[in-house]
Amino acid sequence: MDNFFTEGCRVWLWEGDQYWPSTVDSCSGGVVVFRTDFGQVYTYKQNALSRQRVYEMHSNSVHGVEDMAALQDLHEGAILHNLHLRYTQHSIYTYIGSILAAVNPYQCIPEMYDVSAVERYSRHHLGEIPPHIYAIANECYRSLWKRSNNQCVLISGESGAGKTESTKVILRFLSLMSQQSLELSAKDRSSHVEEALLESSPIMEAFGNAKTVYNNNSSRFGKFIQLHFSQRGNIQGGKIVDCILNNFHTDTADRSMLPLLPLVLSVLCVSVCVCACVCMSLHRVQFYCH
């Protein structure tokens, strides 16, 4: 293992029941000093180290990957490190195969979701260009005709992760694709259906959102959104169903903990339906916090 212990070498260090991304600070006199990316310093005798305790970081973990299915270091630490590394590079989206992991930037990034981004991702298949939520929305939209079947996007995450915003971004993409399918002029490029769809979110949020420790506008319910498209590709109609997820029962005086149960389900269901209505339902889900 001598070749691992050169100053500046990137390694995975097992501490506290998990692997930490670390750097070899020094190696002399049979003593190796490791510094994790979070500032902790650990010192070991070189002859006491094993590959279970420390091993060299693969190059794709050092530089980061767009699709974590390609990671050679397969453990939780490598996944979190890759997400953090891409976040520091201003890349908030990362694939895990056909799954998209998103890290909330807690700031507006208008250029990431403008019309040019919609046009760019609508012309490429999933995985051809850098990860983006538009790529997921486009794959869902195109698969309606490619697979001749209903499509569904599931958005989940903890409180404040950005589920509601992600849902609105997907709806915005589908609305623009719907408008383009009608080949409307720039002046009239909108319809009452798309407008109603996009304008419904703030109204629904006003009735069901609350301020939490992590989020000033946290949804208290799951949304089941069903859209119907014509064969031309434009939105014909849709419906939104709420599913109340949180019922709280507590005897404690700490009210700040009440809203911390995460919203666990937000579904966007897209279906090709002209004459028939595809009905889907969610059972009422209840969670209890003691």
Side-chain angles (χ1 to χ4, degrees):
M1 295 185 63
D2 290 350
N3 60 323
F4 285 74
F5 305 127
T6 56
E7 186 174 341
C9 182
R10 295 287 286 163
V11 297
W12 291 108
L13 180 66
W14 180 262
E15 281 289 343
D17 296 328
Q18 71 179 88
Y19 281 110
W20 297 90
S22 308
T23 304
V24 178
D25 256 9
S26 64
C27 180
S28 61
V31 175
V32 186
V33 178
F34 301 98
R35 183 181 298 274
T36 72
D37 289 2
F38 305 98
Q40 300 99 324
V41 177
Y42 297 96
T43 303
Y44 290 94
K45 290 184 178 180
Q46 187 169 347
N47 58 13
L49 289 171
S50 65
R51 289 188 178 272
Q52 286 70 39
R53 172 67 65 178
V54 59
Y55 71 94
E56 188 175 15
M57 185 181 292
H58 193 275
S59 60
N60 64 12
S61 290
V62 175
H63 302 293
V65 294
E66 292 184 346
D67 188 344
M68 290 191 289
L71 280 175
Q72 297 299 308
D73 300 320
L74 301 178
H75 49 74
E76 182 181 357
I79 294 173
L80 295 176
H81 173 64
N82 190 75
L83 291 173
H84 179 262
L85 185 62
R86 289 181 54 75
Y87 183 81
T88 59
Q89 298 168 350
H90 306 290
S91 299
I92 65 172
Y93 294 118
T94 306
Y95 289 132
I96 311 174
S98 61
I99 299 172
L100 183 73
V103 181
N104 194 336
Y106 290 101
Q107 60 180 305
C108 294
I109 314 177
E111 64 276 7
M112 184 175 287
Y113 306 107
D114 58 18
V115 176
S116 63
V118 172
E119 294 176 350
R120 181 186 179 198
Y121 280 89
S122 66
R123 294 195 300 265
H124 291 84
H125 294 292
L126 188 69
E128 290 183 348
I129 53 179
H132 198 289
I133 194 169
Y134 281 169
I136 298 295
N138 183 61
E139 183 69 15
C140 175
Y141 183 75
R142 300 299 180 187
S143 293
L144 288 170
W145 293 272
K146 183 170 63 177
R147 300 179 182 178
S148 299
N149 204 348
N150 296 343
Q151 300 298 310
C152 180
V153 176
L154 176 65
I155 305 173
S156 65
E158 64 180 13
S159 179
K163 299 177 296 298
T164 300
E165 288 302 315
S166 293
T167 302
K168 289 192 287 187
V169 168
I170 290 180
L171 291 177
R172 191 179 305 120
F173 178 91
L174 294 174
S175 175
L176 288 171
M177 295 300 290
S178 172
Q179 294 166 22
Q180 290 178 9
S181 71
L182 292 175
E183 299 179 350
L184 298 176
S185 66
K187 180 180 178 180
D188 300 321
R189 185 172 266 194
S190 64
S191 71
H192 293 301
V193 175
E194 284 87 359
E195 290 176 0
L197 179 66
L198 296 177
E199 293 174 359
S200 63
S201 290
I203 298 174
M204 295 188 64
E205 290 171 14
F207 286 99
N209 286 19
K211 182 176 181 178
T212 69
V213 174
Y214 297 114
N215 186 4
N216 287 336
N217 194 34
S218 180
S219 300
R220 297 293 89 199
F221 49 80
K223 298 186 188 74
F224 183 82
I225 304 174
Q226 189 174 40
L227 303 179
H228 303 290
F229 289 83
S230 71
Q231 290 294 339
R232 294 180 60 186
N234 62 296
I235 298 174
Q236 295 286 289
K239 66 178 180 179
I240 302 176
V241 179
D242 297 337
C243 178
I244 302 299
L245 299 178
N246 293 351
N247 283 343
F248 299 101
H249 300 270
T250 180
D251 296 324
T252 66
D254 187 5
R255 304 290 294 180
S256 67
M257 293 303 294
L258 285 178
L260 294 185
L261 278 180
L263 184 151
V264 298
L265 184 64
S266 180
V267 178
L268 173 67
C269 181
V270 187
S271 59
V272 176
C273 181
V274 180
C275 300
C277 178
V278 179
C279 298
M280 304 182 72
S281 62
L282 291 176
H283 293 291
R284 184 180 179 86
V285 182
Q286 296 181 333
F287 292 87
Y288 294 91
C289 178
H290 296 279

